[in-house]
Amino acid sequence: MLNGNKLKEIRESCNKSQKETAEKLNISASTLSHYERGTRVPSYDFLYAFSKLFYISIEELVSFAYTPTVNEDIDEYLKPVTHPIDFVILEVEKLRALPLSELLKIREYAEMLYEKNVKRGTIEKKF
């Protein structure tokens, strides 16, 4: 089942309004609002159009692996580090250029790799 908050998070991470998004999808803003609140189930045609508009796969839209809340903000991910780090994966300027939806994918992938290694016993669970 689709989490309506996911639709809203993706739309907002791309700085698109409900009205603007609805117009591009040829639906009313109130219909989009219902989808985002989970009071209506979108059609496959809508999911396809939404995925194309935001360059995301339908599988990602309906996956259960998506966990962030709507209130999460890009600055949360880019807070200055208060402790020394061993290496930097990507420079902050490049990270800031990415939409939040892409940063969330990076985080999700890193968490998956961490859990996979914990299960294998190659690393010890830290928290």
Side-chain angles (χ1 to χ4, degrees), residues 63 65-68 103-113:
S63 74
Y66 186 87
T67 56
L103 293 173
L104 294 173
K105 288 178 196 176
I106 294 168
R107 184 181 76 176
E108 188 175 298
Y109 183 70
E111 287 175 356
M112 184 270 310
L113 290 174

Side-chain angles (χ1 to χ4, degrees), residues 7-120:
L7 296 174
K8 183 176 181 180
E9 177 71 30
I10 293 166
R11 176 181 57 76
E12 287 180 342
S13 73
C14 295
N15 298 316
K16 302 292 182 191
S17 69
Q18 259 187 356
K19 181 180 178 186
E20 177 183 11
T21 302
E23 286 173 357
K24 289 186 179 197
L25 295 171
N26 295 319
I27 61 172
S28 70
S30 66
T31 298
L32 180 57
S33 176
H34 281 288
Y35 293 160
E36 289 182 353
R37 288 182 284 131
T39 57
R40 287 191 194 159
V41 178
S43 67
Y44 178 79
D45 290 338
F46 168 83
L47 294 176
Y48 179 78
F50 189 93
S51 71
K52 293 299 176 200
L53 181 62
F54 290 103
Y55 304 100
I56 186 169
S57 72
I58 292 175
E59 291 80 11
E60 289 174 287
L61 282 176
V62 297
S63 74
F64 292 102
Y66 186 87
T67 56
T69 64
V70 175
N71 295 326
E72 286 183 343
D73 185 57
I74 192 168
D75 291 329
E76 238 353 82
Y77 296 99
L78 302 176
K79 281 183 180 175
V81 177
T82 57
H83 54 81
I85 55 175
D86 293 333
F87 70 99
V88 175
I89 294 171
L90 193 63
E91 295 82 11
V92 172
E93 296 79 24
K94 291 179 181 177
L95 286 173
R96 286 194 184 277
L98 291 172
L100 179 58
S101 60
E102 297 299 318
L103 293 173
L104 294 173
K105 288 178 196 176
I106 294 168
R107 184 181 76 176
E108 188 175 298
Y109 183 70
E111 287 175 356
M112 184 270 310
L113 290 174
Y114 173 79
E115 291 299 326
K116 182 172 139 184
N117 281 278
V118 166
K119 285 181 184 176
R120 285 183 178 166

